[in-house]
Amino acid sequence: MKKIIAGLVAIALVAVSIGVAAYAFANTSTSEPEGGSSYSIGGVKGMGEGYHNMPEEYVLNTTLPSVPAKLMVYRVVEPNVTREEVASLAERLGMDGSVKEESYRFVVTDGQYDLHVGKSVHNHIYYEDTSRWRKRNDKDEPENLPSDEEAIAIVMEFLNDTGLMPEDAVPHKVEHSTSKVMVSFATDETNNLPAIAGFRMSVEVGGNGNIIRVTKDWSEYEPYKESSVITPEEAFEELNKSGITTGLRNVTTATINEVCFGYHYYTDYEKEQRFLKPIYKFKGVAKGKIDGHTETKPFSTLIYALSDDYPIPPAKKYVLNTTLPSVPDKLMVYKTAEPKVSKADVASLAEQVGLNGSIKEVSDGFMVTYGQYYLKVNNISGSILYTDIGNGECQNIRFSTGGGITCDVSPRSGHEVLTMLFLTPGLGTCHSTSHPSSDDEAIEITREFLDDTGLMPEDAILNGVEHSKNGGMNVWFRREINGLPVTGDGSEIGVGVCDYQNIAGVFKVWKEYESHEEFSIITPEVALEEFKTDGEDAGRVNARGVVTINNVYLGYYSKPAGEEQAYLQPVYVFEGVTKGSGGTMRFEQYIPAITELGGIEFGE
């Protein structure tokens, strides 16, 4: 049975959560495309900024690699970091401070020197001379920096003397700046494949050969089990199905110049992934359009190589802190209606919200801009976005898969890309100083606006009011089908209210549907076991922690805006909290309630 991850919300974890994916592969041909890469994981997760495309044509400009039928999957070994070990490391680094234990790490401070040692599977170690790293000083001038060869020799001696040098690490590259020389390391070959990627270590050398910073994420791992591997031809077919992500719209041709095969490790400080698994990497150049002009952009797409499901270990303990729901024997599956978005429809809506700008047809729908106001209707899901972009710095606005928009921001703002999600910080920007005096007033304004513009569905149910930092309020609506809530961010309306004259933003995704067929559903008890054995997302975060389930209910799953979906299918929703070495996390997990769908895949 296939599962869908809804998402995780951090309650208390590291102050800043960072996700980094790294790769090392067996190359089969050709050179790296110029201009950088936009990464995506085929069929799993998009990485990097850009547009998801289904190219009209794929050109294989290289040979496919030879791979074994089976390959070992490795399990990351959770470290048992003790106060004594951290004290010993601090001593080897010449530090004299006491060891302070925090929830997710140990900290030692000695004057200008800081040492952090994490407790998680990443075995994160961070050491820094705070008086010199990223601070101008007379010691770290270019003339005082070592050469490449000198820097490597200094770093190797330092790592060996302090016991920080892994057995399987080899120097990877040397980078220079005006104030330091950084030596980075990669892992040596495993299983006759190039370095298992994702382990990272770098040492920065300043003037006079002084070590000013060390960053190390180097987990121990062990063989887990052999697993069947899909062929390169099957991976290529999967690429054809999943598409690519690049900085172009309407990609016509994707030319693949290199196909690699190796191990993949995803380093995410919220999600302590515990396995290393084989993966294919397709690299090449895409041809498409930007603002009507034909251009080329590099792409790099990953396709997982395991033929069976990715193994996730169970949590150490499960606590059911609620009662399981009573459910019927059968439930209806609903077929969604394909949205029919026309230019005339968009023109009528633009007139309703007071926009007099011209309508522009884009790859994923229609858009209208008028001064600081922006309207977009998505032709995949029928989603509607209306927002006051205020300062006008938001350009090239497009839907993101999380239920919001992404846009390019002008250079003067200091950011290349801005993503606006519609739960945080809110819908649009309030320029008015007069705000609703109460939730009831905000709801009244919202209902009047939605009724006047024809955007209020008959089956909309008030879902609450949020107070934004700018003084406005966000009013949210949801829907039910047969008395069951629709979940998954694919059936919601949000309206940002400033005052009676100023609606800051509207976001609506509300798929039309019709009855398809009734199917038998699994019991809540079976769903609970599936939640445990299928490797739930809570287990992915803290595989040896405690998972507390606080709520279980039936609902219908609806994909977010911008994603195609043919059927609305019933799911069990598990909500709760997980506690482990990475901290405390809330989770929401969907388990399909129907096992046999007559050939329909879950989430289609």
Side-chain angles (χ1 to χ4, degrees), residues 458-508:
E458 292 182 0
D459 56 344
I461 301 171
L462 181 66
N463 197 35
V465 179
E466 292 180 329
H467 294 251
S468 62
K469 294 180 180 179
N470 57 25
M473 298 182 187
N474 299 326
V475 181
W476 290 91
F477 294 87
R478 62 177 180 86
R479 77 195 307 185
E480 292 182 352
I481 298 177
N482 284 336
L484 299 179
V486 180
T487 187
D489 298 329
S491 284
E492 61 182 1
I493 301 173
V495 179
V497 183
C498 294
D499 55 34
Y500 276 98
Q501 287 76 41
N502 188 359
I503 296 294
V506 178
F507 176 69
K508 176 184 178 182

Side-chain angles (χ1 to χ4, degrees), residues 301-554:
T301 299
L302 306 181
I303 302 294
Y304 286 134
L306 293 185
S307 59
D308 53 359
D309 287 338
Y310 186 62
I312 302 291
K316 182 186 294 182
K317 181 181 179 182
Y318 294 90
V319 178
L320 184 61
N321 193 31
T322 184
T323 56
L324 295 175
S326 298
V327 301
D329 295 330
K330 290 185 175 184
L331 276 175
M332 179 65 70
V333 169
Y334 294 89
K335 185 174 178 60
T336 61
E338 184 177 347
K340 296 178 181 179
V341 181
S342 69
K343 193 170 184 178
D345 294 333
V346 178
S348 175
L349 177 59
E351 184 179 356
Q352 289 291 331
V353 297
L355 298 189
N356 296 320
S358 60
I359 300 172
K360 180 180 179 181
E361 185 170 359
V362 293
S363 62
D364 55 351
F366 297 91
M367 60 180 288
V368 182
T369 55
Y370 182 67
Q372 67 193 44
Y373 299 99
Y374 171 91
L375 171 68
K376 185 168 185 178
V377 181
N378 183 275
N379 58 15
I380 297 175
S381 63
S383 307
I384 295 170
L385 169 66
Y386 165 73
T387 185
D388 177 354
I389 56 179
N391 55 22
E393 293 194 349
C394 223
Q395 306 294 330
N396 190 24
I397 304 176
R398 61 261 188 197
F399 283 92
S400 66
T401 57
I405 60 171
T406 299
C407 67
D408 302 323
V409 180
S410 65
R412 69 177 181 271
S413 70
H415 299 281
E416 294 181 356
V417 175
L418 170 70
T419 298
M420 288 186 282
L421 298 179
F422 283 90
L423 292 179
T424 309
L427 290 160
T429 303
C430 277
H431 304 290
S432 171
T433 57
S434 174
H435 304 300
S437 59
S438 65
D439 289 3
D440 289 341
E441 183 180 348
I443 293 168
E444 179 184 350
I445 295 171
T446 298
R447 288 188 182 277
E448 181 179 335
F449 172 82
L450 293 176
D451 287 336
D452 289 346
T453 55
L455 292 176
M456 175 61 89
E458 292 182 0
D459 56 344
I461 301 171
L462 181 66
N463 197 35
V465 179
E466 292 180 329
H467 294 251
S468 62
K469 294 180 180 179
N470 57 25
M473 298 182 187
N474 299 326
V475 181
W476 290 91
F477 294 87
R478 62 177 180 86
R479 77 195 307 185
E480 292 182 352
I481 298 177
N482 284 336
L484 299 179
V486 180
T487 187
D489 298 329
S491 284
E492 61 182 1
I493 301 173
V495 179
V497 183
C498 294
D499 55 34
Y500 276 98
Q501 287 76 41
N502 188 359
I503 296 294
V506 178
F507 176 69
K508 176 184 178 182
V509 52
W510 209 266
K511 302 181 178 86
E512 298 298 323
Y513 61 88
E514 60 184 19
S515 298
H516 173 64
E517 186 179 346
E518 272 196 338
F519 292 89
S520 297
I521 68 170
I522 62 175
T523 65
E525 291 76 13
V526 172
L528 177 60
E529 290 306 308
E530 191 68 34
F531 171 80
K532 297 177 182 178
T533 59
D534 198 30
E536 81 299 329
D537 210 33
R540 188 195 299 263
V541 178
N542 293 302
R544 300 184 185 180
V546 177
V547 174
T548 301
I549 303 165
N550 292 323
N551 193 23
V552 182
Y553 61 91
L554 263 179

